[in-house]
Amino acid sequence: MVTVKPVNQVALYHICRNLRECDAQEIYPLCHHENPLVLAQQTMWACNAGQGKLIWVNGIPAAVCGVHPEFSGHMNYRVFAFGTDDWKAAAYPVMRELRKIAREVIREHGTMRMQADSSEHHTEAHAWMERMNGKRESVMPHYGKNGETYYRYVWLRDDVSWMNSPEWAPYNTKEIEPCVDQKATVQSL
């Protein structure tokens, strides 16, 4: 049985401690550590700064997914998803939850762009992001700490290829009003 639950630190630690190998090989070259406890703390921060969900398979945490704002603000979000060896059972619910989260973030913040970076060797992740209509935007040689090459995948708010399904109709750009008061933001700097 597969269930979706809110994020909690203990379940995140279980996932990070039991990462499937291809996810560990993709994530850790982008970190200054290879510590599952630190990764769980960083992921908890990301979920608190944005939104996240846990996917449980047969009563055990199997995957985490979510988005968090980039340091440039709520117009750009980072997308993340990773899991244990039970990923295959969690992959579809992860996809469904990420789509829900994306709609909420776009509606709430007027977000223009979402992006994810993936190791050139993680072909399963590339195919998965392309199924979610992510577009490979760039190749980034020497992006990982050991010289690994990464690909950046993007989802742009105005790209109709992923927003033309009926459930996206309320989120088209003509109806979105960003909640950020630009005048207040400039004055606060």
Side-chain angles (χ1 to χ4, degrees), residues 43-67:
T43 306
M44 191 72 193
W45 173 90
C47 291
N48 288 334
Q51 293 188 43
K53 294 288 182 178
L54 289 173
I55 310 302
W56 292 57
V57 174
N58 297 325
I60 299 172
V64 61
C65 64
V67 301

Side-chain angles (χ1 to χ4, degrees), residues 102-189:
R103 286 192 297 265
E104 291 172 23
V105 167
I106 288 171
R107 170 60 81 196
E108 186 175 334
H109 301 291
T111 300
M112 303 286 285
R113 170 190 182 93
M114 296 189 181
Q115 62 190 30
D117 298 336
S118 181
S119 167
E120 71 177 328
H121 301 295
H122 200 339
T123 56
E124 180 185 345
H126 307 159
W128 188 78
M129 287 187 280
E130 289 166 5
R131 275 194 300 277
M132 287 187 55
N133 291 314
K135 304 284 189 276
R136 186 180 298 178
E137 179 183 67
S138 62
V139 176
M140 303 179 299
H142 302 286
Y143 193 69
K145 67 184 174 190
N146 301 310
E148 296 89 350
T149 297
Y150 279 74
Y151 302 143
R152 177 156 292 165
Y153 284 84
V154 298
W155 295 264
L156 303 176
R157 184 177 76 186
D158 294 337
D159 182 356
V160 296
S161 70
W162 67 286
M163 293 187 67
N164 61 4
S165 61
E167 72 265 15
W168 280 98
Y171 302 93
N172 73 37
T173 57
K174 293 180 179 107
E175 297 179 22
I176 295 173
E177 290 294 324
C179 69
V180 177
D181 181 358
Q182 297 296 332
K183 194 179 241 182
T185 302
V186 171
Q187 290 174 350
S188 66
L189 296 174

